[in-house]
Amino acid sequence: MGGPVEILPFLYLGSAYHAARRDMLDALGITALLNVSSDCPNHFEGHYQYKCIPVEDNHKADISSWFMEAIEYIDAVKDCRGRVLVHSQAGISRSATICLAYLMMKKRVRLEEAFEFVKQRRSIISPNFSFMGQLLQFESQVLA
């Protein structure tokens, strides 16, 4: 199963399994979680800071409407010298999409470059087709 992967020194990507393992979270110095699902519980309210983005992993879901809020949340954690775990059920589609949007916005990189960067760290990422389309649209806004 492995642990969550470090995308940036303050940004980690993982699954619901990782989010339920307090030992893992504490070992990584995680202070906050960004739960990108509508059905994963927040196990340790009161111990960590939580933010929920209730998005389903399907082609109808509009995840891009959450991009700016998610990016601001990650930055707020970073500004407090915290570390945030972005997770969804499997850590493959929804949470990966948020991490990609963050990298594109903050590092001013194209989707292709962000995707390779994250895939090197978590090889199983695979945002659904619709999310990839929303990321491409976001890329044109960010790099305009």
Side-chain angles (χ1 to χ4, degrees):
M1 195 78 177
V5 297
E6 181 180 306
I7 305 298
L8 294 168
F10 53 88
L11 178 62
Y12 289 77
L13 171 60
S15 66
Y17 170 79
H18 300 134
R21 294 286 306 272
R22 191 163 159 179
D23 56 333
M24 250 181 213
L25 299 174
D26 288 343
L28 293 170
I30 299 294
T31 59
L33 289 90
L34 180 54
N35 180 348
V36 194
S37 78
S38 47
D39 47 10
C40 295
N42 294 333
H43 293 281
F44 310 109
E45 300 255 18
H47 189 76
Y48 306 106
Q49 189 182 337
Y50 282 92
K51 179 170 187 65
C52 277
I53 293 180
V55 178
E56 298 291 332
D57 186 7
N58 63 45
H59 66 91
K60 290 196 292 284
D62 178 12
I63 198 168
S64 64
S65 65
W66 293 94
F67 285 169
M68 293 318 295
E69 210 174 308
I71 289 165
E72 284 164 15
Y73 179 74
I74 293 166
D75 274 345
V77 173
K78 179 186 123 188
D79 292 346
C80 299
R81 305 223 182 301
R83 289 181 175 180
V84 61
L85 171 68
V86 180
H87 79 89
S88 45
Q89 189 61 49
I92 292 173
S93 183
R94 291 170 287 187
S95 50
T97 298
I98 294 297
C99 290
L100 290 167
Y102 184 84
L103 287 172
M104 288 161 59
M105 179 83 186
K106 292 295 163 173
K107 300 290 179 195
R108 294 276 184 241
V109 294
R110 299 177 61 92
L111 174 56
E112 192 180 342
E113 194 181 326
F115 190 88
E116 279 309 308
F117 184 83
V118 175
K119 192 145 185 93
Q120 281 167 6
R121 288 152 179 78
R122 187 166 172 83
S123 60
I124 59 173
I125 69 159
S126 182
N128 76 41
F129 187 74
S130 169
F131 292 173
M132 287 301 283
Q134 291 174 57
L135 283 165
L136 277 170
Q137 204 171 358
F138 188 60
E139 174 189 80
S140 63
Q141 292 163 18
V142 168
L143 301 178

